[in-house]
Amino acid sequence: MKNLSIILLLMFGCFIKANTQSSTLKVGDLAPQMDVFDIQNQPFSLAQLKGKVVLIDFWASWCTACMKEQPLLKKLYHELDEEVRNGRFEIIGFSLDKKKENWQRAVDRLEIPWPQVSDLQFWKSPIAKAYGIQMLAFNVVIDENGKILGINQHGEDLEQLIKDHLN
Amino acid sequence: MFLLSINSNAQDVKTHWTAEQLMSPDTLAKRIQNHQTEHLTIVSVGYDDIIAGGVYVGAGEEEASINALRQLLQKTPKDQEVVIYCGCCPFAMCPNIRAPFQLLQEMGFKNAKLLNLKQNIKADWLDHDYPIKDE
């Protein structure tokens, strides 16, 4: 029990830190360009999503906090199903995995429905650097013009941010 | 203090390391830069092979990687300094460091070290421009 408490304390501490970590980006900036490949090996550019509100979820199969957040994102994605179908909202999962098989296995296991992209460069990813990511889990919400609406928001704050903008 | 004694839920292995068994990134970087690694084996037990002069055995959460680490060090003198690292995330959340570190203890390595990547390999190594392997 004592050990469990310590772990929870540490995890909570990490989560708080993740929420307050610094970033090279700020709200109102244009989101850095992202030209990578999706999980089906097709080219993907963030510019393709112009006109939509986009949640870019930076995650990895080895990131415990990220994996725990996926079901919450799935719930949000289903709630916004109409906006997704109308082309107003999308989630993009950017994986910091190094091995594609690990990434694919996690996507399959969690049945993540939104598009998945990666440069498969782990922490050496130039995209991770461009977005100023210091720790996972990390996300960015961008508006229809590619401008940043929110950085590293989670839970109800994230949900509120997206829904407020869409409404 | 808490980091020195953690019962990992992920692997259900109780592992201890002392402050003396943690090697700072700055110390390792200087030793690599000054070519002082003759009696030092650097092993990645994470998801990538990043640090210059290191050997990669695979992610420590996988049994195959533990076997590879055992094989790698089978003929290594027990007084050799061996430093392992992962760097995916903070120690408390890392699934890869405990089993390899325990193996080093079981194999009798007296100078087993854990690279003290408090946050991750990016923040504590790459962002400092410490030596990395060529692509």
Side-chain angles (χ1 to χ4, degrees), chain A residues 15 57-59 63-75 114 137-139 152-155 158:
Chain A
F15 189 70
D57 174 44
F58 292 90
W59 73 295
C63 166
T64 310
C66 309
M67 296 291 272
K68 284 185 176 172
E69 193 175 37
Q70 298 306 305
L72 303 175
L73 297 183
K74 262 171 88 169
K75 181 174 166 283
W114 50 85
F138 182 88
N139 64 44
N152 219 18
Q153 300 291 312
H154 298 272
L158 174 67

Side-chain angles (χ1 to χ4, degrees), chain A residues 17-87:
Chain A
K17 190 171 182 184
N19 260 334
T20 56
Q21 66 185 285
S22 65
S23 168
T24 55
L25 301 177
K26 58 184 187 300
V27 172
D29 287 350
L30 269 179
Q33 197 42 269
M34 188 184 284
D35 293 298
V36 287
F37 287 89
D38 68 16
I39 204 162
Q40 284 89 31
N41 292 321
Q42 297 301 309
F44 168 85
S45 173
L46 190 58
Q48 293 168 212
L49 299 181
K50 193 170 180 189
K52 297 183 183 187
V53 173
V54 181
L55 164 62
I56 309 172
D57 174 44
F58 292 90
W59 73 295
S61 66
W62 41 260
C63 166
T64 310
C66 309
M67 296 291 272
K68 284 185 176 172
E69 193 175 37
Q70 298 306 305
L72 303 175
L73 297 183
K74 262 171 88 169
K75 181 174 166 283
L76 176 65
Y77 198 66
H78 290 312
E79 282 174 9
L80 296 173
D81 179 60
E82 195 176 325
E83 283 78 5
V84 172
R85 282 190 283 112
N86 292 340

Side-chain angles (χ1 to χ4, degrees), chain B:
Chain B
M1 184 65 184
F2 287 142
L3 291 175
L4 301 181
S5 175
I6 293 167
N7 194 353
S8 163
N9 271 348
Q11 294 177 298
D12 200 24
V13 173
K14 193 170 186 181
T15 307
H16 297 270
W17 51 80
T18 64
E20 291 72 32
Q21 288 172 314
L22 292 173
M23 180 184 283
S24 78
D26 184 54
T27 298
L28 180 59
K30 281 180 181 152
R31 287 183 63 174
I32 295 169
Q33 286 158 345
N34 295 330
H35 307 287
Q36 295 169 342
T37 55
E38 191 183 347
H39 301 293
L40 172 65
T41 302
I42 305 164
V43 186
S44 168
V45 295
Y47 299 105
D48 201 358
D49 186 17
I50 290 178
I51 296 179
V55 182
Y56 187 53
V57 296
E61 63 181 345
E62 294 170 13
E63 198 177 334
S65 308
I66 298 300
N67 291 335
L69 180 62
R70 187 182 287 110
Q71 184 72 26
L72 172 74
L73 298 174
Q74 208 156 34
K75 293 178 181 172
T76 303
K78 296 297 187 280
D79 58 353
Q80 171 90 351
E81 202 172 7
V82 179
V83 59
I84 63 169
Y85 73 95
C86 171
C88 70
C89 24
F91 288 149
M93 302 171 87
C94 178
N96 293 320
I97 50 173
R98 288 171 178 79
F101 197 73
Q102 177 151 312
L103 176 66
L104 296 182
Q105 309 292 318
E106 288 168 2
M107 290 179 78
F109 283 95
K110 299 174 185 69
N111 291 311
K113 300 276 171 64
L114 177 60
L115 189 61
N116 195 7
L117 300 171
K118 289 178 184 170
Q119 192 163 326
N120 55 49
I121 191 84
K122 179 185 181 294
D124 300 314
W125 192 269
L126 296 169
D127 287 352
H128 293 268
D129 289 328
Y130 290 152
I132 62 170
K133 288 192 168 181
D134 295 330
E135 288 295 330

